[in-house]
Amino acid sequence: MKKRQIFLLVAFLFFAASLTGGCANRYGLNPNTPVTITMWHNYGGQMKDAITSMVDDFNSSVGAEKGIIVNVTYVGSQSTIHDKLVAAANGDPGAPELPDITTCYPKTALILKDKGRVVNLNDWFSKKELSGYIPSFLEEGTFADGGLYVFPTAKSSEVLFLNQTEFDRFSSATGVSADSLSTFEGLASTAEAYYNWTDGLTPDIPNDGKAFFSIDSLYNFAQVGCAQLGESFVSEENGLATDSDAFQKVWNIYFDCAVKGYAAVMNPKDYGSSLMKTGGVVCSIGSTAGTAFYGNTVTYSDGTTESVTVATLPYPVFDGGTPVVMQRGGGMCVTKSDETHEYAASIFLKWFTQAQNNLRFVSSTGYLPVSTEAYGDGMEQLIEDNRDTAIGNMLATATDMSADYEYYIPPVFDGVDALESSFNAALIAEAGNAHRIYVSLLPSEGTDNAFLQASSGRLENFMK
């Protein structure tokens, strides 16, 4: 009788606790004694405000219900987070403790994985749950052992940003259509036409035409260009395939235009958005996540300003190539700790990437949602609500591209960062030096001879 009474009492207590929400689950979460998980991120500006607001909403809703508090910290740029994460993983003196969640690129996650400090998220997401995400977005964060170490939370791609106001003036005078910008060959020929047109506006000053376009990441341009043409540009085994036929075409498009002044030769740390905002170029290939940085005003070197319309066009494709575009943007990693913290982190990731929450985040940031559900009615409504904004225009273009293009997933391996840096620096140096020689030879040699002399042997030198 006494045993039965004890059993009934225990059963009642569990039942009562379940009604009040005070019961700890199998992973130790309890709303009466919430667990705090730390989170680092690199989202600046209005993106910082967006992530802070969303964390606040999580803490007051699902977090309060389940017993989770997310303590979010803006650390700085992704390179800053990379350095801090590596230092923490190495146990360097003075390094901070690893956060429970952090924004992270695969190249950083690979280092953490090799040190046994990052969680395989396949352990916390069911196959059914994972089936609701864009497959290529999951693939980027999946490493050779089949583990998912970088969870997609908000991705980006690349598009062509166009100063429509300036282009319309040029088009009206020359008849060149924006349709020509759908291919890289068309982009190059349009850039030549624009240089000649602007040169002709000041007939008393020869060879003062203006650059038409810029490319934020030449390394991405090379990877995607070769992929469009059916070849691989980078691999762990062979490094960079600079001797391929595909790369020859990629080289010719950028190098020829850069030498002749049709394309901007930028410092690797600069962005095309800055050039467009000062009238330095008419269009720029860049990340969708940078949409807000292009603005709607151009301030020229003489101090005058002009309101402009910035359009978003699909990423160009090489003639005869397959529509392929870069998949960019990091995701979030969960670091190894204990079941309670890891489970709590997975709850936050699932909440953050639910369609309605993910769409809310991308609506003000320029990132792309990560679930298949988000690309349905929710995205259509988001585009409709933002029809007259830069974000809305970009989302409409990116959504169309997601149906027509293949996403390129860049390979990740030890040393890939060094390959990227050396490639960008070498190509910019070759193009910049050749351009200076070309300009110095123009008055005496003319366009063709000046280009031949300035560019001779450059590709062979670059390939060494």
Side-chain angles (χ1 to χ4, degrees):
M1 183 67 180
K2 186 174 292 186
K3 288 183 178 180
R4 177 177 173 80
Q5 289 175 334
I6 293 173
F7 173 80
L8 291 174
L9 177 61
V10 171
F12 172 78
L13 291 174
F14 270 104
F15 175 71
S18 68
L19 291 178
T20 61
C23 166
N25 65 17
R26 59 176 291 198
Y27 295 112
L29 293 183
N30 189 325
N32 292 329
T33 55
V35 62
T36 296
I37 57 175
T38 55
M39 174 182 168
W40 289 358
H41 74 87
N42 64 308
Y43 300 122
Q46 68 184 73
M47 291 184 283
K48 179 181 177 182
D49 296 335
I51 193 72
T52 300
S53 175
M54 292 196 68
V55 168
D56 288 343
D57 286 351
F58 172 83
N59 287 339
S60 62
S61 58
V62 173
E65 176 189 340
K66 294 185 177 296
I68 305 169
I69 296 174
V70 178
N71 185 355
V72 62
T73 301
Y74 170 69
V75 175
S77 67
Q78 192 58 50
S79 62
T80 300
I81 286 185
H82 171 87
D83 293 342
K84 287 183 177 293
L85 289 174
V86 172
N90 288 333
D92 293 347
E97 292 186 6
L98 284 171
D100 296 299
I101 306 176
T102 180
T103 54
C104 191
Y105 281 89
K107 59 188 179 183
T108 306
L110 182 62
I111 297 173
L112 298 181
K113 174 186 173 297
D114 289 343
K115 295 183 178 296
R117 304 302 299 273
V118 67
V119 171
N120 178 358
L121 290 166
N122 285 327
D123 296 337
W124 294 107
F125 285 77
S126 68
K127 290 183 178 179
K128 182 178 180 181
E129 288 172 329
L130 292 176
S131 68
Y133 295 88
I134 304 298
S136 61
F137 291 173
L138 292 172
E139 185 179 347
E140 185 182 25
T142 301
F143 293 168
D145 64 353
L148 176 61
Y149 297 99
V150 184
F151 197 80
T153 49
K155 304 298 287 187
S156 63
S157 187
E158 292 183 329
V159 292
L160 181 67
F161 295 98
L162 176 70
N163 179 338
Q164 190 71 59
T165 303
E166 171 67 1
F167 187 85
D168 286 347
R169 284 193 286 260
F170 162 62
S171 178
S172 178
T174 62
V176 176
S177 168
D179 292 341
S180 64
L181 305 180
S182 63
T183 67
F184 279 109
E185 290 81 0
L187 177 66
S189 63
T190 301
E192 180 179 5
Y194 181 76
Y195 180 93
N196 291 334
W197 177 65
T198 51
D199 184 29
L201 296 177
T202 53
D204 55 324
I205 307 176
N207 306 317
D208 69 336
K210 296 181 179 180
F212 181 72
F213 72 94
S214 62
I215 300 175
D216 276 355
S217 173
L218 294 171
Y219 181 70
N220 286 352
F221 167 59
Q223 290 185 91
V224 172
C226 288
Q228 288 182 354
L229 295 167
E231 296 186 23
S232 176
F233 177 64
V234 57
S235 68
E236 184 172 9
E237 298 77 17
N238 303 313
L240 305 181
T242 56
D243 58 348
S244 69
D245 291 340
F247 181 70
Q248 176 78 64
K249 293 184 179 180
V250 170
W251 168 277
N252 288 343
I253 287 293
Y254 173 73
F255 188 79
D256 291 8
C257 287
V259 172
K260 295 176 180 177
Y262 308 160
V265 180
M266 297 195 304
N267 183 296
K269 295 184 179 181
D270 290 340
Y271 292 95
S273 56
S274 298
L275 285 178
M276 281 186 62
K277 287 194 293 186
T278 56
V281 292
V282 182
C283 60
S284 175
I285 292 175
S287 169
T288 56
T291 299
F293 294 101
Y294 284 85
N296 56 9
T297 302
V298 172
T299 301
Y300 297 100
S301 58
D302 62 1
T304 60
T305 62
E306 179 184 27
S307 296
V308 300
T309 298
V310 177
T312 306
L313 303 182
Y315 190 87
V317 179
F318 278 90
D319 280 343
T322 301
V324 176
V325 68
M326 177 62 69
Q327 173 181 299
R328 295 180 53 148
M332 293 190 187
C333 291
V334 175
T335 61
K336 285 189 175 181
S337 53
D338 55 62
E339 279 195 338
T340 300
H341 285 78
E342 291 175 14
Y343 175 67
S346 74
I347 293 296
F348 174 76
L349 292 181
K350 291 174 185 180
W351 178 87
F352 188 81
T353 55
Q354 286 177 354
Q356 68 272 23
N357 296 327
N358 215 206
L359 285 168
R360 172 186 163 194
F361 181 66
V362 304
S363 68
S364 60
T365 61
Y367 280 91
L368 306 177
V370 296
S371 71
T372 53
E373 180 185 354
Y375 280 90
D377 294 340
M379 179 65 91
E380 290 182 8
Q381 186 60 52
L382 182 60
I383 292 171
E384 181 65 28
D385 293 343
N386 290 272
R387 180 176 293 277
D388 297 324
T389 69
I391 295 291
N393 293 332
M394 180 279 296
L395 289 174
T397 299
T399 300
D400 290 342
M401 286 171 58
S402 69
D404 300 329
Y405 284 64
E406 297 176 16
Y407 281 118
Y408 175 80
I409 302 172
V412 178
F413 51 85
D414 289 338
V416 71
D417 279 354
L419 280 178
E420 178 177 356
S421 297
S422 61
F423 173 84
N424 285 332
L427 181 50
I428 289 169
E430 289 292 342
N433 290 335
H435 174 66
R436 285 186 285 273
I437 294 173
Y438 173 80
V439 171
S440 69
L441 293 173
L442 268 178
S444 60
E445 299 293 334
T447 303
D448 293 340
N449 285 336
F451 177 75
L452 286 174
Q453 293 182 52
S455 61
S456 178
R458 294 284 177 176
L459 178 57
E460 292 75 15
N461 182 60
F462 180 80
M463 290 165 55
K464 291 179 180 178

